[in-house]
Amino acid sequence: LRCFSTSSDQYLVVNAVGKDRTGIVSELTKLVTDAGGNVGDSQAAKLGSHFSLMMHLSVPSGRAEALRNALEGCVLEGMSVICFEDDAVDPNAVEVTPKIGYSGEFSLSGADNLGIVHRLTSALSRNGLSIDKMVTAQEEAPFGGSTLFKVLGVATASEPLSMNFSPDRVR
């Protein structure tokens, strides 16, 4: 069931992280549903022995504070939950400012080494690029017993692009 929001809704961004176990998403989304809220965009990932969940919620304005208190005050075994207000009237109808002038995918695959994420993200930042999405992973190399590192992501640059902007410079 997908509920469509109205202008009387308030929007929250929820970030929950803690020791992984069965039922975390179910328990958090029950609190949302009980408050008359709806989950829009969300992302979840297991990282090591921990689980992380980010959700963008719409909730009737009169229930937003109670939902925020319920989420942040919930006692889920080993979880930490924090909510942020999104002051957009309707995030799907809002004109994004500044506008995106460039969007491109990036990937890197090779031997893992100390500081690789820092060097990659520093190069993106120096060239005026912001990270919209990024996923990293490590795996054992098929031959040789070393560790391989992989990263996939999307980077953007806002308008107006500088005169010397060149996505090729990052390569």
Side-chain angles (χ1 to χ4, degrees):
L1 174 67
R2 174 122 176 124
C3 301
F4 293 97
S5 62
T6 66
S7 60
S8 64
D9 284 349
Q10 190 169 345
Y11 298 89
L12 299 174
V13 174
V14 177
N15 187 8
V17 66
K19 197 84 162 157
D20 187 35
R21 63 174 177 74
T22 303
I24 294 170
V25 177
S26 174
E27 292 172 24
L28 289 172
T29 56
K30 181 179 185 332
L31 294 172
V32 174
T33 302
D34 288 350
N38 189 54
V39 177
D41 294 334
S42 67
Q43 294 183 25
K46 183 175 176 183
L47 302 168
S49 63
H50 284 71
F51 180 78
S52 177
L53 172 66
M54 288 186 67
M55 301 182 290
H56 192 256
L57 311 176
S58 61
V59 61
S61 292
R63 298 181 179 176
E65 190 63 31
L67 175 58
R68 183 180 185 148
N69 291 337
L71 288 166
E72 290 182 341
C74 71
V75 182
L76 296 179
E77 183 181 327
M79 293 296 294
S80 176
V81 181
I82 187 165
C83 299
F84 302 91
E85 290 184 32
D86 184 348
D87 53 4
V89 174
D90 181 349
N92 297 316
V94 172
E95 184 176 331
V96 176
T97 306
K99 291 190 180 294
I100 302 299
Y102 171 82
S103 179
E105 295 181 353
F106 61 91
S107 65
L108 177 70
S109 180
D112 192 16
N113 58 74
L114 186 64
I116 194 168
V117 172
H118 173 67
R119 288 192 306 277
L120 171 64
T121 56
S122 293
L124 294 171
S125 180
R126 275 193 313 275
N127 286 278
L129 294 165
S130 294
I131 298 169
D132 276 9
K133 292 186 179 187
M134 186 173 82
V135 176
T136 64
Q138 293 178 311
E139 61 185 49
E140 189 174 323
F143 305 104
S146 62
T147 302
L148 293 179
F149 177 80
K150 294 182 179 183
V151 61
L152 297 171
V154 176
T156 59
S158 300
E159 287 185 349
L161 297 174
S162 73
M163 294 287 283
N164 60 358
F165 175 80
S166 172
D168 292 331
R169 185 178 297 138
V170 181
R171 293 185 183 143

